[in-house]
């Protein structure tokens, strides 16, 4: 044990003899934001936070992170929840512990830089709704992107926590870009901006224990604000890094309650409490109280989310992160994207291409949204490039990055790639060097106009300003102008238990027998579940009859469940009968076949953002026809031929599958 961490307690009578520490490590709990974002795809619902809220308020956390990051997007898009309401609701239960949010600087809680007026309004409304600490980061560590939001955070009298995104290009800290001087200089910049605390944001779990020690030590010697370490567990190093950071004098550490900890999330709080007990850095937390909270999480809440946990591997650490120095979330996005495009066999090529793309794009840190920008472009290169041409399909985000719309990259962008990306770029072919938001036209007034008669207040209008397509959809659900689809409704504990029973039965082969019987008519309460058994996928309808869930139908999904479906092909047929409740028919591309011409097929599954042309418009080969959002990145799809738009088969907001005919040019 190092000199700094002296043990004060010799008798270990936990309850009686525990002295108050001279300099307790402060702890921020991340369970209700980064925890469920990392493990459960950000699907945590407010109603599932309430049962533990008051107890968590009693722990003594320095702060609780409850908002920001992906929560805003996920809540309105997938949970049919008003993100603003979450802050207000939790505030009614959590009265003592300050709230923290993750703010992507000028990106706010989205994936691009928003105009200054939207940024100002957003921060002002977040503060008014109850946010206390604004953990602010910029994916490029370009602090010019902090200027607008920080001035509002300060005006509102709130805590500005400035982040330095931890990144590297070598297996350990160092090299030409991300060395100790880099971090010290960034910390000085943040101090000069008035940071109330400084956070080393290790979003990928890359920080090695001795590097954590070196950075914390250097920062403590150089700057005055408290130093905070945010490190993901992904690679398995973060508990060790926490301890070395504590030895170096770190002020605040981020952890999760153990049910939300480990894997791509964070180290758990409980081992840290016990590791420090009786030392001069003792957290002072009551481990029994933590255990009581965990019991509620385990029994009442997490069964509803267990299906979202990626438990396909035994190992809870991802050594790919150690091998490739890339965030775990980014890796799983890449894998998902490749899987959706039937190209999982290209994963090794993706790993090889990734550092090349990152270098071409200015050796930028890999964090949202730059991790997606680099990741998706890498996948595009692997899938669409050939020996004659690189960067054949450049995403609009890469074009924006090359233009300077995200800020200044760590090293200059490869000029060839930059030139290609900016050819015909609508803002101009010459990149900018000013603060990015300076070239953005105000957006708020237009957002308010677009939502007239729908948005009731500024909070509503901001949902639309940040997410025009899904935001508008959400506002229609919110005000009863459209019925929200079944899949955005909450799962109950009973749903979860019923599903677990089904999986058990499916594994035991009992589902097959059951569906041989004549299926009763579907009831009103029929709900559809996706059930995954190893690699097989079933769509299962569950109808609640007199309280007890019963299986209504099991439908092996086409092309996905041959192993299970083969011995007993029966289950699909009798069960499918009433088609009314089925999902949107897959027949969408069919009418397109009738139109003669060159089809534009969706190169990947995604959501239509907009069509740039109308039926009857003439178009040149290579001109953008459709903007397709895939993996949260917008892809401008070029016309495969010159001619006239004969048909347009989808509209803004529609989901499309790979291969769907988006339009026909004749
Ligand atoms: Co994080």
């Amino acid at each position: 044990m190092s000199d700094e961490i002296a043990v004060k307690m010799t008798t270990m009578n936990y309850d009686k003899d525990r002295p108050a520490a001279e300099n307790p490590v402060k702890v921020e709990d991340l369970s209700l934001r980064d925890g469920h974002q990392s493990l459960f795809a950000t699907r945590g619902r407010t109603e599932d936070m309430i049962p533990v809220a008051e107890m968590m308020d009693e722990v003594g956390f320095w702060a609780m992170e409850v908002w920001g990051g992906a929560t805003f997007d996920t809540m309105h898009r997938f949970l049919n929840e008003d993100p603003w309401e979450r802050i207000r609701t939790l505030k009614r239960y959590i009265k003592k512990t300050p709230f923290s949010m993750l703010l992507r600087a000028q990106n706010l809680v989205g994936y691009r830089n928003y105009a200054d007026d939207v940024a100002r309004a957003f921060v002002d409304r977040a503060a008014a709704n109850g946010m206390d600490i604004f953990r602010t980061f910029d994916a490029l560590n370009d602090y010019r992107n902090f200027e607008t939001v920080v001035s509002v955070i300060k005006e509102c009298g709130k805590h500005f926590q400035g982040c330095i995104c931890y990144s590297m290009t070598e297996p350990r800290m160092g090299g030409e870009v991300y060395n100790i001087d880099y971090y010290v200089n960034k910390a000085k910049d943040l101090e000069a901006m008035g940071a109330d605390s400084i956070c080393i944001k290790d979003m990928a779990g890359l920080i090695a224990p001795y590097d954590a020690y070196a950075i914390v030590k250097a920062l403590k010697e150089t700057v005055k604000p408290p130093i905070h370490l945010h490190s993901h567990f992904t690679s398995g190093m973060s508990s060790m890094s926490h301890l070395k950071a504590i030895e170096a004098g770190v002020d605040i550490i981020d952890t999760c309650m153990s049910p939300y900890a480990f894997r791509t999330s964070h180290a758990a709080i409980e081992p840290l409490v016990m590791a420090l007990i009786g030392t001069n850095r003792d957290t002072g937390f009551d481990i029994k109280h933590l255990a009581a909270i965990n019991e509620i999480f385990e029994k009442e809440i997490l069964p509803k989310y267990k299906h979202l946990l990626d438990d396909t591997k035994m190992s809870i650490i991802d050594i790919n992160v150690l091998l490739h120095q890339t965030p775990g979330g980014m890796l799983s996005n890449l894998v998902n994207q490749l899987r959706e495009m039937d190209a999982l066999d290209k994963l090794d090529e993706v790993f090889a291409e990734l550092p090349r793309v990152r270098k071409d794009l200015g050796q930028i840190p890999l964090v949202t949204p730059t991790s997606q920008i680099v990741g998706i472009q890498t996948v595009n290169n692997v899938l669409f490039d050939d020996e004659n041409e690189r960067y054949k399909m450049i995403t609009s985000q890469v074009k924006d990055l090359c233009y300077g719309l995200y800020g200044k990259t760590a090293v200059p962008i490869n000029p060839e790639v930059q030139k290609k990306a900016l050819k015909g770029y609508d803002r101009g072919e010459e990149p900018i060097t000013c603060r990015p938001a300076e070239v953005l036209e105000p957006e708020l007034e237009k957002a308010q106009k677009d939502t007239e008669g729908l948005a009731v207040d500024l909070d509503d209008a901001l949902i639309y300003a940040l997410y025009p397509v899904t935001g508008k959809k959400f506002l229609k659900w919110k005000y009863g102008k459209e019925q929200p689809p079944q899949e955005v409704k909450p799962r109950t504990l009973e749903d979860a238990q019923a599903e677990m029973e089904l999986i058990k039965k499916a594994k035991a082969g009992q589902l097959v027998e059951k569906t041989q019987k004549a299926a009763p008519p579907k009831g009103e309460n029929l709900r559809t579940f996706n059930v995954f058994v190893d690699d097989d996928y079933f769509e299962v309808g569950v109808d609640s009859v007199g309280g007890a869930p019963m299986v209504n139908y099991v439908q092996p999904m086409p092309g996905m469940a041959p192993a299970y479906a083969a011995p007993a092909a029966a289950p699909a047929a009798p069960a499918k009968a009433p088609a009314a409740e089925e999902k949107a028919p897959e027949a969408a591309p069919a009418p397109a076949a009738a139109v003669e011409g060159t089809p534009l097929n969706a190169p990947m599954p995604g959501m239509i953002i907009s069509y740039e042309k109308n039926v009857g418009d003439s178009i040149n080969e290579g001109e953008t026809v459709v903007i397709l959002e895939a993996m949260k990145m917008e892809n401008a799809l070029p016309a495969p031929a010159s001619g006239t738009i004969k048909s347009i088969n989808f509209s803004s907001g529609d989901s499309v599958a790979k291969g769907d005919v988006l339009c026909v040019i004749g």
Side-chain angles (χ1 to χ4, degrees), residues 139 177 368 382 553 637:
V177 186
T368 307
V382 167
Y553 69 96
L637 304 184

Side-chain angles (χ1 to χ4, degrees), residues 301-614:
I301 296 167
L302 286 165
K304 296 188 209 173
Y305 297 96
K306 214 174 163 186
H307 65 294
L308 295 165
L309 189 72
D310 176 14
D311 57 359
T312 48
K313 278 197 290 182
M314 281 294 286
S315 171
I316 66 161
I317 66 159
D318 184 350
I319 68 154
N320 273 318
V321 172
L322 301 174
L323 295 173
H324 303 287
Q325 286 92 49
T326 40
M330 177 180 175
L331 289 175
S332 57
N333 276 348
L334 289 175
V335 169
N336 283 339
Q337 202 195 1
L338 287 172
R339 187 181 290 134
E340 284 183 27
M341 299 199 221
D342 291 326
L344 253 187
D345 55 312
K346 299 246 163 54
L347 188 60
D348 282 337
E349 281 174 62
V350 165
F351 282 143
E353 175 73 359
L354 200 132
R356 289 198 287 267
V357 171
R358 186 184 177 203
K359 199 168 176 208
D360 285 341
L361 298 181
Q363 214 60 283
I364 49 184
L366 299 174
V367 58
T368 307
T370 49
S371 52
Q372 261 111 319
I373 295 174
V374 173
I376 311 273
Q377 189 59 54
T378 301
V379 170
N380 282 2
N381 285 6
V382 167
L383 293 184
F384 305 117
D385 286 3
D386 52 44
E387 60 274 23
N388 301 319
E389 193 185 353
R390 274 177 58 71
Y391 290 90
K392 251 187 158 174
M393 193 156 94
I394 301 181
T395 66
S396 54
Q397 279 78 3
V398 166
K399 294 178 183 195
D400 293 345
L401 178 79
C402 289
Y403 184 67
L405 221 45
Y406 286 89
K408 193 168 179 283
T409 52
V411 298
I413 295 174
N414 176 343
E416 256 171 64
V417 174
Q418 190 164 31
K419 201 166 163 221
K420 176 155 198 198
L422 293 180
K423 189 157 186 289
Y425 181 71
D426 52 7
R427 289 176 187 276
E429 299 196 346
E430 206 45 48
I432 55 164
T433 53
C434 62
R435 184 179 71 93
E438 267 160 40
V439 302
L440 300 177
E441 297 295 324
E443 297 174 272
L444 193 56
E445 212 171 285
K446 184 180 177 296
Q448 284 173 309
K449 221 177 176 147
D450 288 352
T451 50
E452 241 167 50
L454 185 58
V456 166
D457 52 23
L458 182 55
D459 292 0
D460 283 345
L462 281 166
I463 294 175
Y464 172 82
L466 265 59
Y467 290 98
V469 177
T470 54
K472 192 167 214 169
K473 215 187 253 183
F474 167 76
L475 292 176
K476 285 181 183 163
W477 299 339
K478 180 176 170 182
Y479 294 112
K481 303 208 163 153
E482 236 173 54
Q483 271 302 310
Q486 189 68 36
E487 62 263 23
V488 302
K489 291 180 182 162
R491 272 160 70 86
T492 64
L493 200 56
E494 289 72 34
D495 292 339
Q497 277 157 353
E499 190 184 311
M500 279 191 280
E501 276 303 307
L502 282 172
I503 292 171
K504 237 196 238 167
K505 283 184 180 166
K507 278 182 171 167
Q510 291 166 357
L511 283 183
V512 179
E513 280 167 40
K514 184 136 191 174
T515 48
Q516 301 281 18
K517 296 175 192 168
K522 287 181 182 182
E524 268 173 42
N525 301 319
L526 185 86
R527 302 196 56 190
T528 309
F529 293 96
N530 292 332
V531 177
F532 298 90
V533 181
D534 298 326
D535 289 334
D536 298 338
Y537 165 40
F538 302 85
E539 189 180 300
V540 179
V542 178
D543 203 353
S544 195
V545 178
M550 62 177 281
V551 179
N552 192 298
Y553 69 96
V554 177
Q555 179 188 359
M557 296 313 282
M560 289 200 66
Y564 185 76
K576 266 196 87 171
E581 293 249 2
E582 299 282 351
K583 296 189 291 188
E586 308 278 303
V595 179
E596 260 183 55
T598 313
L600 170 63
N601 299 93
M604 58 191 91
M607 183 179 75
I608 302 288
I609 297 291
S610 61
Y611 279 89
E612 304 291 283
K613 298 278 172 184
N614 295 313

Side-chain angles (χ1 to χ4, degrees), residues 30 33-34 38 65 102 135 201-203 230 232 266:
L30 307 179
R33 203 286 297 177
D34 211 344
S38 299
E65 191 188 42
L102 183 65
R135 168 175 291 176
K201 181 175 158 61
D202 172 29
M203 52 281 168
H230 175 84
H232 283 255
H266 308 269

Side-chain angles (χ1 to χ4, degrees), residues 56-297:
M56 289 189 73
D57 196 23
E58 295 300 322
V59 172
F61 292 122
W62 178 76
M64 285 171 67
E65 191 188 42
V66 296
W67 210 64
T71 60
F72 198 95
D73 182 3
T74 312
M75 288 180 73
H76 85 278
R77 190 190 293 244
F78 298 119
L79 307 179
N80 187 22
E81 273 197 61
D82 186 336
W84 303 103
E85 183 54 45
R86 173 168 296 172
I87 317 180
R88 297 193 294 266
T89 302
L90 290 179
K91 210 73 182 178
R92 289 198 284 274
Y93 297 88
I94 302 169
K95 295 177 175 150
K96 295 186 280 196
T97 314
F99 281 2
S100 177
M101 75 165 286
L102 183 65
L103 181 69
R104 298 168 179 158
Q106 198 84 22
N107 283 198
L108 306 176
V109 286
Y111 305 93
R112 66 168 175 94
N113 276 331
Y114 295 95
D116 281 338
D117 60 345
V118 170
R120 267 192 290 270
F122 179 85
V123 174
D124 187 62
R125 290 308 304 152
N129 275 290
M131 196 45 58
D132 302 294
I133 298 167
F134 291 78
R135 168 175 291 176
T136 310
F137 81 93
D138 175 68
L140 302 186
N141 286 328
D142 181 346
Y143 297 145
R144 295 174 307 169
N145 289 327
F146 279 26
E147 285 170 20
T148 302
V149 292
V150 167
S151 68
V152 186
I153 296 167
K154 291 284 184 185
E155 276 162 33
C156 295
K158 302 296 182 180
H159 183 117
F160 158 44
Q161 178 168 89
C163 287
I164 311 169
C165 294
Y166 185 77
S167 195
M168 40 201 240
T169 54
E170 322 281 322
R172 284 280 299 273
M173 181 175 67
E176 278 170 33
V177 186
Y178 299 106
N179 48 42
I180 191 96
D181 292 339
Y182 176 90
Y183 295 106
V184 168
N185 288 331
K186 289 291 171 192
K188 283 183 190 163
D189 292 346
L190 291 173
E191 183 176 39
M193 289 189 92
D196 298 296
S197 57
I198 292 173
C199 178
I200 303 155
K201 181 175 158 61
D202 172 29
M203 52 281 168
L206 298 175
I207 202 165
Y210 291 106
D211 293 335
Y213 185 91
I215 292 188
V216 171
K217 194 98 188 156
L219 298 194
K220 288 301 289 177
E221 281 163 7
T222 323
V223 294
K224 286 201 188 71
I227 304 299
H228 194 144
L229 176 60
H230 175 84
S231 174
H232 283 255
F233 189 78
T234 324
S235 70
M237 288 194 292
S238 84
S239 308
M240 294 183 274
S241 300
H242 281 172
L243 205 59
K244 290 309 292 180
I246 289 167
E247 289 180 9
V250 79
D251 297 278
I252 314 157
I253 289 280
D254 279 348
T255 61
C256 278
M257 300 296 294
S258 55
Y260 285 82
F262 305 118
R263 298 184 183 271
T264 54
S265 182
H266 308 269
I269 178 60
E270 301 84 356
L272 188 74
V273 169
M274 297 314 281
L276 297 176
I277 214 163
T279 70
N280 59 352
R281 308 285 332 252
D282 190 340
T283 58
F285 292 177
D286 180 352
I287 190 90
K288 289 175 191 158
H289 183 66
L290 296 173
I293 297 170
N294 286 339
E295 180 132 336
I296 297 173
F297 273 134

